[in-house]
């Protein structure tokens, strides 16, 4: 079976040290801030990012073990297919959050409404573009 | 250096056989349709996805070689950091498109406004949620 290698480009520092204390989604974060540290060898890739109000963060659920094809979303009373949920227990452990970018200082990005665990590996950042991403 | 394994959960069939003919973004696709084929072993994960109007597709730019830390976006006259662009030539070759879901038939999803090359590996599908993803 084909597989692809993904390497972290940085990590995010957040107030959440344990998964039981992390919010389930950005909307439950009560405005918590986090700092994304991009590794020095990728810092040039941030040039111009300060012009964007929101950024799409792809990250790796590094503390999730295995996966399930179904999950029960919070508030739902039945199981749903994993691809119809945002659960971390997915075949590829990739998470996505769209965050407000507050500030850029060298290789550090300050973002608002974080929902990741402290130390979560970041695998990509893309600019949020209303004409592509707003539905 | 840490690395993570990502495995395709399916592939997308689109009208674009060559990168020079693929639209640069979903908004330039002129309504082109594509079919996502989820591999049988992951089909159960689609349960309930038909209730969503839009889905977030993560895919792998399997025909992109290497990466660059800067790129010139279409219409721009200067280089920008790769994380401030949607270029495929990124450190991790992951692409993201938010597509309208037209129909579900077993392990096949019909989607609209596709911009991927024919045969592109799909690595994740997440439901689009306005309260999380609309900025």
């Amino acid at each position: 079976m084909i597989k692809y290698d993904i390497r972290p480009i940085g990590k995010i520092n957040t107030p959440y040290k344990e998964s039981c204390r992390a919010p389930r989604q950005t909307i439950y974060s009560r405005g918590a801030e986090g700092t994304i540290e991009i590794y020095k060898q990728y810092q040039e890739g941030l040039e111009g990012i300060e012009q964007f109000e929101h950024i799409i963060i792809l990250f790796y659920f590094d503390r999730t073990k295995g996966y399930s094809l179904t999950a029960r979303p919070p508030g739902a009373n039945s199981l749903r297919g994993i691809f119809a949920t945002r659960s971390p227990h997915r075949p590829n452990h990739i998470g996505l959050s769209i965050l407000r970018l507050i500030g850029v200082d060298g290789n550090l990005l300050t973002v608002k409404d974080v929902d990741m665990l402290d130390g979560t590996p970041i695998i990509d950042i893309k600019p949020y573009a209303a004409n592509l991403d707003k539905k």
Side-chain angles (χ1 to χ4, degrees), chain A:
Chain A
M1 184 58 133
I2 294 169
K3 62 187 172 76
Y4 303 111
D5 286 347
I6 297 293
R7 288 162 203 275
I9 60 164
K11 62 178 174 147
I12 186 165
N13 301 309
T14 76
Y16 316 114
K17 309 290 179 204
E18 297 163 85
S19 60
C20 59
R21 296 187 190 274
R24 276 184 166 272
Q25 300 292 353
T26 54
I27 46 173
Y28 303 122
S29 69
R30 302 184 187 189
E33 291 187 7
T35 306
I36 297 173
E37 178 190 339
I38 296 298
Y39 299 136
K40 290 286 186 183
Q41 70 264 39
Y42 298 115
Q43 183 175 337
E44 189 185 359
L46 296 176
E47 186 76 29
I49 203 160
E50 66 285 348
Q51 72 189 279
F52 295 97
E53 204 168 317
H54 290 93
I55 53 179
I56 302 173
I57 310 293
L58 297 182
F59 56 97
Y60 197 83
F61 292 112
D62 61 332
R63 273 150 282 183
T64 299
K65 306 284 177 220
Y67 72 91
S68 173
L69 287 178
T70 56
R72 197 177 58 78
N77 44 26
S78 60
L79 287 171
R80 199 188 278 172
I82 198 77
F83 303 125
T85 79
R86 303 284 279 250
S87 164
H89 301 277
R90 22 201 347 108
N92 290 308
H93 290 171
I94 300 177
L96 177 158
S97 293
I98 303 177
L99 301 180
R100 178 181 280 269
L101 179 61
I102 297 178
V104 182
D105 179 15
N107 67 327
L108 302 176
L109 308 180
T110 305
V111 287
K112 203 175 163 83
D113 291 327
V114 295
D115 59 348
M116 302 85 153
L117 283 173
D118 188 46
T120 293
I122 302 299
I123 59 179
D124 201 7
I125 296 176
K126 300 177 192 287
Y128 176 84
N131 65 343
L132 300 176
D133 304 316
K134 191 174 193 163
K135 302 294 173 184

